[in-house]
Amino acid sequence: MSVRARYLNKFLILSLLAATVISCKKKSLAIVEAPAERNQILLGFSQIGAESEWRIRNTESILEAAANEGIQILYDNAQQKQENQLQAIHSFIIYQVDVIAFAPVVETGWDNVLREAKEAGIPVLIVDRNIQTSDPSLYAGLLGEDTNEEGRKAAYYLLKKYKDVPGPLNVLEISGTENSSAAYERASGFRFVMKNHPKFQIIHSESGDFMRSRANEIARKIIAYNGGLKIGQKTVDIILSHNDAMTWGILDAMEESGINPVDYTIVTFDGEKEMVSKIRDGSVNCVIECNPNLGHDLCYLVKKLANGEPIPRITYVNEKFFSEFDPPEKLEGKGF
């Protein structure tokens, strides 16, 4: 068996029907359809995993757009592990794909494999989350969301809501995956604004790894240990959750403990339709969209790279903002 054929047995070759993601989201790799010939652009894409509805929709968006654009994908589900992504990118290089794209689990540790891709003449596109590298020329560009601005939006909302409240106002932050750009930048953007408003105090910050189960575990432990949503003697006023999946986990823990979410201000990121609808009953107060629909822009950039054309260093997608200050008609049917 050839090297290329062996690697086909390790990765998902897609004819790119959206249903493929749903059937494969709980397994790492499977063959759906192998290309008969290499007359189309072949993209090697490594996704972080399927840890949330946001991530699932992000993958669907990319597969749907690629199907429409005639781009074939060699797909890998990294299952939240950087070592899986490194192995996938090595294999994309061996398979000689036209372009490599990946959503990095964490920010650091990519230089060696990116250098291999550069030496092989394969352009690399970073998707969704950013990376840190000693040599920015190792990748062609970033397509994603301005997560620093998302954090600032959360702060601006709270400044508006509590404009006439003296404080102190205690914030419980459930952050995303440690060393991921999304978690770091949301936290940094929020703190940048709040540094001039000391009445807002982050009394506890803990990583929920962007996962519902982990955030639920954290919230349950806090409630059980402190006899409610408190940190020591300080009662929580505001919950800042770095994504909707973790917010669901927090809401689950509150319901289990008989705690009414309307007694707290809850700010969350992503923009699931059901989460946006929670604003209307007061269970959630602010949802900052992190747009998962990157497929169209990704395919546009991939085509340019495959043709040897330059692309912008950073491409941000448009994102919306929803809060209790919006009229009900603005919230109706919004979200992904």
Side-chain angles (χ1 to χ4, degrees):
M1 183 181 292
S2 68
V3 171
R4 180 169 293 182
R6 287 199 301 273
Y7 278 90
L8 280 174
N9 285 325
K10 296 180 65 180
F11 291 91
L12 177 59
I13 304 286
L14 297 169
S15 59
L16 301 177
L17 298 174
T20 300
V21 184
I22 304 302
S23 64
C24 297
K25 67 184 181 183
K26 291 191 176 181
K27 56 186 177 181
S28 178
L29 306 165
I31 297 174
V32 175
E33 179 180 331
E37 54 184 317
R38 282 291 305 275
N39 60 353
Q40 292 176 291
I41 294 172
L42 181 58
L43 168 67
F45 177 58
S46 178
Q47 179 62 281
I48 290 172
E51 76 282 2
S52 65
E53 291 302 317
W54 190 97
R55 188 65 56 190
I56 293 168
R57 177 56 205 152
N58 179 237
T59 304
E60 288 175 343
S61 169
I62 291 169
L63 301 186
E64 291 165 358
N68 292 333
E69 297 294 333
I71 296 173
Q72 294 177 316
I73 291 186
L74 200 57
Y75 176 85
D76 168 68
N77 177 345
Q79 298 183 327
Q80 310 278 133
K81 296 179 181 179
Q82 184 181 31
E83 57 266 33
N84 291 346
Q85 289 198 301
L86 292 171
Q87 182 180 2
I89 296 169
H90 281 300
S91 299
F92 295 156
I93 295 167
I94 292 174
Y95 192 77
Q96 298 180 337
V97 300
D98 298 301
V99 179
I100 293 172
F102 72 104
V105 175
V106 294
E107 287 189 292
T108 58
W110 306 103
D111 282 23
N112 289 340
V113 74
L114 292 181
R115 196 168 287 112
E116 290 179 27
K118 185 176 181 180
E119 291 171 355
I122 302 173
V124 177
L125 183 62
I126 309 300
V127 180
D128 177 34
R129 301 180 183 178
N130 209 342
I131 65 169
Q132 295 181 16
T133 173
S134 60
D135 181 2
S137 72
L138 294 179
Y139 68 95
L142 164 71
L143 167 65
E145 312 83 23
D146 190 343
T147 45
N148 189 281
E149 178 61 20
E150 291 172 3
R152 295 186 189 207
K153 287 178 179 178
Y156 295 142
Y157 158 74
L158 291 173
L159 291 178
K160 180 178 179 180
K161 179 178 177 66
Y162 290 102
K163 178 181 178 181
D164 300 319
V165 178
L169 295 161
N170 298 322
V171 181
L172 168 63
E173 179 184 43
I174 306 299
S175 64
T177 302
E178 292 183 8
N179 300 318
S180 70
S181 66
Y184 172 77
E185 291 176 0
R186 282 176 185 152
S188 295
F190 183 81
R191 285 162 174 77
F192 178 83
V193 175
M194 288 307 192
K195 67 183 179 182
N196 296 319
H197 302 275
K199 72 179 182 180
F200 293 93
Q201 301 176 2
I202 299 174
I203 58 173
H204 185 73
S205 180
E206 187 169 350
S207 171
D209 208 23
F210 289 122
M211 298 180 68
R212 182 171 184 161
S213 58
R214 176 63 183 143
N216 178 260
E217 178 185 353
I218 291 169
R220 288 170 61 194
K221 284 183 178 179
I222 289 173
I223 293 167
Y225 184 79
N226 297 283
L229 270 177
K230 298 188 294 185
I231 303 297
Q233 298 302 311
K234 295 182 178 181
T235 300
V236 172
D237 301 299
I238 298 161
I239 299 171
L240 179 68
S241 172
H242 279 213
N243 79 339
D244 287 349
M246 295 192 299
T247 304
W248 289 121
I250 296 166
L251 291 172
D252 290 342
M254 294 172 80
E255 182 179 3
E256 293 164 7
S257 303
I259 295 174
N260 192 341
V262 302
D263 295 332
Y264 302 84
T265 296
I266 299 178
V267 181
T268 182
F269 301 85
D270 272 1
E272 294 177 19
K273 185 175 294 186
E274 189 175 354
M275 188 62 73
V276 173
S277 73
K278 285 290 183 179
I279 295 174
R280 300 177 69 179
D281 66 18
S283 299
V284 171
N285 303 86
C286 179
V287 178
I288 297 145
E289 182 184 51
C290 178
N291 190 346
N293 297 307
L294 305 182
H296 175 77
D297 291 327
L298 176 69
C299 290
Y300 172 78
L301 296 174
V302 165
K303 284 187 172 183
K304 291 184 76 70
L305 289 173
N307 291 327
E309 301 174 31
I311 65 170
R313 188 64 187 165
I314 299 176
T315 301
Y316 286 137
V317 293
N318 293 324
E319 297 179 306
K320 297 182 178 66
F321 175 93
F322 307 99
S323 81
E324 61 192 305
F325 301 123
D326 294 319
E329 58 270 20
K330 183 180 177 181
L331 303 175
E332 184 66 35
K334 300 301 182 182
F336 63 86

